[in-house]
Amino acid sequence: DRMGQGNRTTTLRFSRQARVSMLAGGSREAHGEIRRTGSPDGNLAKASPYSEFQQATVLLTLDPTKGRTYGPAMLTDQKAAPATSASTRLILVEGLPGSGKTTTAKFISSMLAQRDVKHFLWMECCEDGPIKELSPSQPSFGEDLIRQWSSLAVKLQDNSGLAVMESFYWQWTTDLMVLHGYGHDDVIGINTTLDNTVATLAPRLIYFHHTDIESHIRWIFNARGSEWAGMIQKRDLPYPYHQSRGHKDLQGLITFFMDCQSYTDELFD
């Protein structure tokens, strides 16, 4: 997974007090911006480019038992509070397909392992994950979703574990609800309840925000090939969101991802 391909620009957004450097792979340099919520002026600070993923440094507190951050600070606010605290039990990685979520989550896990930090790594579509994909078409979707996350919160608090989770938080909630034709208030309402449910875990969110969604989606569909692109279209286009708009091709999927990011931007902000 890469960032900064061609003229595409990706913005990394981070939850309150969380700080992460640019992550990139491949030969092209990646450029983006880092935004930390909760800062007085909300200023954006340019991050240094990396040509190889191995050179990237995650500025989360990768050892919550010691309350430290690792690597040089990339923000102008050098007096910011530590990225995580001893109470942090959940690190979430979210963004559009091809943003670098999988690479980022694996990198964080490897850094935690190097420091002997007990943790779980749950990737999108893993069969042993604690959060199962639910269908928003079921009347009990909201209740079932919150029940799963509540159980996870109890599990992580009871055994003092730390979870790194990729795509479960928004992709399996917001994106699915949009596909099934949920209205704005329902999407925001269920996600707000979800936020309250995991609040006891002091979660940190890494959010890959794209400033040129169309270019990014066209790039990732081309990069992953016709078989993957065909699978996505066959899977998603029959849903109410697309059917109600007469979507039949990639342009419809681009519109969908734009709408999804508008929701996640609202939820993030």
Side-chain angles (χ1 to χ4, degrees), residues 233-254:
Q233 293 188 55
K234 182 178 180 180
R235 183 195 69 186
D236 289 359
L237 289 176
Y239 280 100
Y241 173 89
H242 295 294
Q243 291 296 304
S244 65
R245 292 164 174 79
H247 293 166
K248 301 181 183 300
D249 52 22
L250 177 58
Q251 190 59 49
L253 293 174
I254 290 171

Side-chain angles (χ1 to χ4, degrees), residues 38-208:
S39 59
D41 52 10
N43 283 341
L44 297 176
K46 287 290 185 180
S48 300
Y50 293 89
S51 58
E52 296 293 338
F53 174 73
Q54 288 76 10
Q55 295 175 300
T57 302
V58 174
L59 295 180
L60 287 166
T61 301
L62 294 179
D63 187 347
T65 64
K66 298 179 180 179
R68 298 175 181 171
T69 54
Y70 297 88
M74 305 294 281
L75 293 176
T76 55
D77 180 8
Q78 299 296 322
K79 297 180 180 180
T84 61
S85 67
S87 62
T88 297
R89 292 287 175 260
L90 182 62
I91 298 176
L92 302 163
V93 186
E94 293 290 336
L96 297 179
S99 297
K101 301 186 300 297
T102 300
T103 304
T104 301
K106 288 181 178 179
F107 179 70
I108 293 173
S109 177
S110 69
M111 296 294 285
L112 290 168
Q114 288 177 25
R115 291 162 175 79
D116 296 322
V117 178
K118 178 183 178 182
H119 72 285
F120 304 94
L121 173 62
W122 288 309
M123 313 297 293
E124 177 186 6
C125 299
C126 66
E127 296 182 357
D128 62 342
I131 307 300
K132 307 303 180 183
E133 184 173 352
L134 302 171
S135 173
S137 63
Q138 299 300 316
S140 61
F141 170 76
E143 295 178 359
D144 293 342
L145 178 71
I146 299 305
R147 187 179 300 112
Q148 287 193 95
W149 282 94
S150 295
S151 296
L152 173 62
V154 171
K155 175 181 179 179
L156 293 176
Q157 289 172 327
D158 287 349
N159 66 16
S160 299
L162 171 65
V164 180
M165 303 182 71
E166 176 245 334
S167 296
F168 287 92
Y169 200 68
W170 282 343
Q171 185 168 304
W172 283 24
T173 54
T174 303
D175 291 12
L176 284 177
M177 285 188 283
V178 173
L179 271 178
H180 280 81
Y182 276 54
H184 173 274
D185 291 348
D186 288 331
V187 173
I188 299 301
I190 290 177
N191 276 279
T192 299
T193 302
L194 181 56
D195 288 346
N196 295 332
T197 301
V198 301
T200 57
L201 300 175
R204 294 296 177 259
L205 168 67
I206 303 173
Y207 173 34
F208 289 86

